[in-house]
Amino acid sequence: DCLAIAGAKRAKKPNEPAKVTVKHVLVKYAGAKNAPAQITRTREAACLRAQDARKKLEGGASFADVVKELSDEAGAATREGMVGAIQRSDVAPAFADAAFELAIGEVSHVVESPFGFHVIYRSE
């Protein structure tokens, strides 16, 4: 189920903004793009870990706390997962599709990119 949700196709919305500001939790797996050698979890385990991050957020956990606990991105904890203002061309297509469909304050479902699994929060 997790992999099906993460790979879901998303349509580009008409009238979307040129940029959105987002934070994310990134869960890497062995073989994902730029994953360090110490990451040994499977793709399936990474998807479930990302799904767990989303459940914690839905349960009221702070984004900063979930990033510190579950994100594999270097330096993410100090930035609280901040990616910043992005245009579609700045990020992987699946990430862009999910980020641009979010309303401000909304959290995405689990999304897969070549870098791993993301849970995205749109702040602006």
Side-chain angles (χ1 to χ4, degrees):
D1 276 357
C2 185
L3 295 175
I5 291 167
K9 298 291 178 216
R10 294 167 172 84
K12 185 175 178 181
K13 286 184 173 177
N15 306 324
E16 69 180 22
K19 289 186 174 189
V20 294
T21 302
V22 295
K23 297 180 178 188
H24 75 144
V25 174
L26 171 60
V27 182
K28 298 180 181 186
Y29 56 89
K33 191 172 183 179
N34 297 341
Q38 68 263 29
I39 300 286
T40 58
R41 76 177 64 90
T42 65
R43 182 171 168 250
E44 293 79 9
C47 190
L48 292 172
R49 183 176 169 109
Q51 203 169 45
D52 186 42
R54 186 170 193 275
K55 284 180 187 160
K56 286 178 185 251
L57 292 167
E58 287 176 332
S62 79
F63 204 87
D65 288 345
V66 173
V67 166
K68 283 178 192 159
E69 181 184 350
L70 297 172
S71 189
D72 293 321
E73 185 181 19
T78 56
R79 294 190 323 276
E80 298 182 355
M82 180 58 78
V83 177
I86 59 165
Q87 298 179 83
R88 276 187 165 273
S89 59
D90 294 337
V91 293
F95 186 100
D97 288 347
F100 278 84
E101 80 177 8
L102 294 173
I104 293 171
E106 195 174 17
V107 174
S108 74
H109 284 282
V110 175
V111 178
E112 186 175 14
S113 80
F115 299 95
F117 294 91
H118 309 263
V119 176
I120 306 164
Y121 170 78
R122 181 174 169 198
S123 57
E124 289 178 34

